[in-house]
Amino acid sequence: MSHPPIGPHLLGIDGLSRADIVTVLDTADEFAEVSRREIPKVPALRGRTVASVFFEPSTRTRLSFESAAKRLSADTMTFAPATSSLGKGESVRDTVQTLEAMGADCLIVRHRSAGVPRQVTRWVDAVVINAGDGTHEHPTQALLDAMTIRRHLDTVEGIHVAIVGDIAHSRVARSEVLALRTLGAEVTLVGPRTLMPPDVEGWGVAVSADLDAVLATVDVVYLLRMQLERQHEALVPSMREYHERFGLTAARAAALRSETLVMHPGPMNRGIELAGDVPELERSVVLEQVTNGVALRMAVLYLLLGGPREHDKPDTDGESSQETTKR
């Protein structure tokens, strides 16, 4: 059996080559076509079981992975912390080993602590995908964003992206920088000094506290969620001041070049990261990010759990060419 082109797990963008990322994006483009069919489903992962193991709340990522697995005809299992044996003292290790014992071939893990998905790989033989761990990484978000940019601008190489907001506490920002730089983009991080990580000089990107000066030169403005639950730490004077200095106001949005994309990983705080109606503007691709997320996660699941092999390509005719082989 040939080795998968990425894997055996997806724990972060760190470690992926440019060729790896391009393989994922090319495969996702094929699955985007599948998603537009009247019946958006292929049998590529029939007989496999994919478990969502989210120890933190999630709407987009969990449902996106579950939709992706179902469109590939995998069986799905959903772990809900509030109604699980965690409340009885069960450990993370016991939880993931229990799910594997029930037949899970793949565990999609989200946890508030960085490094938990990597630790899970030491406890189970199943494929592990990091769906967000602490402030470390959120690799599939970065990949779906790269997919969205490439589909609009034809390339990521050479473009200028401004990532705006709470960089220090954002796992999305870390994965985003790694993916965009690997693909050849120029990145500028914008925000107050209190929201920059202490090691930002080592990230290989420009840093600015002047959003207006940066916006004039960008192809993409990527707004991060302001983490309201951290406001007790007094990292910014007020949300009103933050919006005035770092929010994409209606005036700033109107001043952007017509081809500049507005992106946000969600969930959005309207009136803080961006003005209330900015997400509805033509240059906003926020909902398209969500749509592309399903195709991108189909590609990740497919590449990690099965293909591609010469006889097992993504089924573009709506019928499976053959059964996939269990890892």
Side-chain angles (χ1 to χ4, degrees), residues 169 227-236 239:
H169 303 101
Q227 301 190 27
L228 302 179
E229 63 272 25
R230 293 187 178 277
Q231 293 318 300
H232 66 280
E233 300 176 27
L235 297 172
V236 295
M239 288 299 99

Side-chain angles (χ1 to χ4, degrees), residues 57-80:
S58 170
T59 299
R60 290 164 183 75
T61 304
R62 181 176 61 80
L63 294 179
S64 182
F65 266 114
E66 290 178 1
S67 295
K70 289 176 180 176
R71 290 184 183 186
L72 293 169
S73 300
D75 296 320
T76 58
M77 302 165 64
T78 301
F79 165 78

Side-chain angles (χ1 to χ4, degrees), residues 129-150:
I129 298 175
N130 181 2
D133 61 332
T135 59
H136 176 225
E137 281 221 42
H138 192 349
T140 56
Q141 179 68 50
L143 292 169
L144 75 88
D145 291 334
M147 175 187 178
T148 303
I149 292 171
R150 196 176 74 158

Side-chain angles (χ1 to χ4, degrees), residues 12-16 21 136-137 142 163 171-184 187 203 205:
I13 298 297
D14 191 17
L16 294 183
I21 294 175
H136 176 225
E137 281 221 42
I163 301 177
R171 52 196 173 207
V172 172
R174 292 172 191 274
S175 289
E176 207 77 24
V177 167
L178 289 167
L180 292 173
R181 289 194 64 224
T182 300
L183 292 172
V187 179
W203 285 31
V205 298

